[in-house]
């Protein structure tokens, strides 16, 4: 057996329908396009969402909601994560740069420390925002909270 002997399995390939090759082919005349209308013409391509002239769905439905352009997105980091990071790397202070190096946040992200979990060590934590419970938990352990 070699490459010149290889063939597809019998019946697995078919030749394409050849359209517009005269009346004797059975697909001449209008060439399966029907009579008149945009789709019978050459060069036709429909617009996305076009419904034959009927008002398209995206224009029939009402607009709703509100997008606040000044919204600030934060990446939430729980106390549980800070505890694990501090124990693993034996850290006394955690900043946004520390979280970026650990791969927990993107370098462009704003960080908010959230209060899920507990701390067993005093940490100096620097971030963009803190929840009340997180700030209270850090300070209860003798740590320090610094907002950027």
């Amino acid at each position: 057996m070699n490459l010149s002997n290889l063939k597809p399995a019998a019946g697995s390939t078919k030749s394409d329908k050849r359209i517009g090759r005269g009346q004797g082919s059975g697909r001449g005349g209008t060439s399966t396009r029907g009579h008149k209308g945009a789709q019978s013409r050459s060069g036709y391509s429909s617009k996305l969402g076009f419904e034959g002239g009927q008002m398209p769905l995206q224009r029939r439905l009402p607009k709703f909601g509100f997008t606040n352009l000044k919204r600030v997105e934060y990446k939430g980091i729980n106390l549980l994560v800070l505890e694990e990071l501090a124990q693993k790397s034996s850290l006394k202070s955690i900043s946004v740069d520390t979280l970026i190096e650990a791969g927990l946040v993107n370098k462009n992200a704003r960080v908010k420390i959230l209060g899920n979990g507990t701390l067993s060590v005093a940490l100096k934590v620097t971030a963009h925002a803190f929840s009340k419970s997180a700030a209270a938990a850090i300070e209860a352990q003798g740590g320090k909270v610094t907002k950027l």
Side-chain angles (χ1 to χ4, degrees):
M1 177 180 241
N2 59 27
L3 289 177
S4 66
N5 295 356
L6 293 178
K7 287 183 180 171
S12 67
T13 60
K14 289 181 173 181
S15 56
D16 292 340
K17 289 181 179 179
R18 298 191 69 218
I19 294 170
R21 292 297 179 273
Q23 294 292 49
S25 70
R27 296 193 191 89
T30 58
S31 302
T32 72
R33 289 169 176 257
H35 296 280
K36 299 183 184 174
Q39 292 178 56
S40 72
R41 317 287 186 203
S42 67
Y44 167 77
S45 64
S46 69
K47 287 182 183 169
L48 192 65
F50 182 68
E51 297 183 17
Q54 172 176 301
M55 188 62 68
L57 182 68
Q58 72 270 23
R59 290 187 62 197
R60 289 199 301 267
L61 296 176
K63 292 186 213 165
F64 65 95
F66 170 77
T67 305
N68 184 1
L69 298 176
K70 294 178 181 171
R71 177 182 166 84
V72 178
E73 288 276 347
Y74 289 99
K75 173 78 169 110
I77 301 289
N78 282 307
L79 291 177
L80 185 76
V81 177
L82 295 184
E83 173 78 7
E84 287 174 8
L85 186 63
Q87 286 180 350
K88 189 170 76 174
S89 305
S90 62
L91 299 170
K92 292 292 176 198
S93 68
I94 294 178
S95 66
V96 175
D97 295 328
T98 315
L99 296 172
I100 292 168
E101 286 170 25
L104 295 169
V105 293
N106 186 334
K107 65 182 173 125
N108 300 323
R110 289 170 155 261
V111 178
K112 182 171 185 173
I113 306 300
L114 305 174
N116 188 8
T118 55
L119 282 178
S120 59
V121 290
L123 288 174
K124 287 172 75 179
V125 184
T126 307
H128 297 101
F130 294 85
S131 69
K132 287 179 185 175
S133 60
I138 292 167
E139 288 166 351
Q141 284 294 329
K144 190 178 177 191
V145 169
T146 312
K147 285 186 181 176
L148 293 175

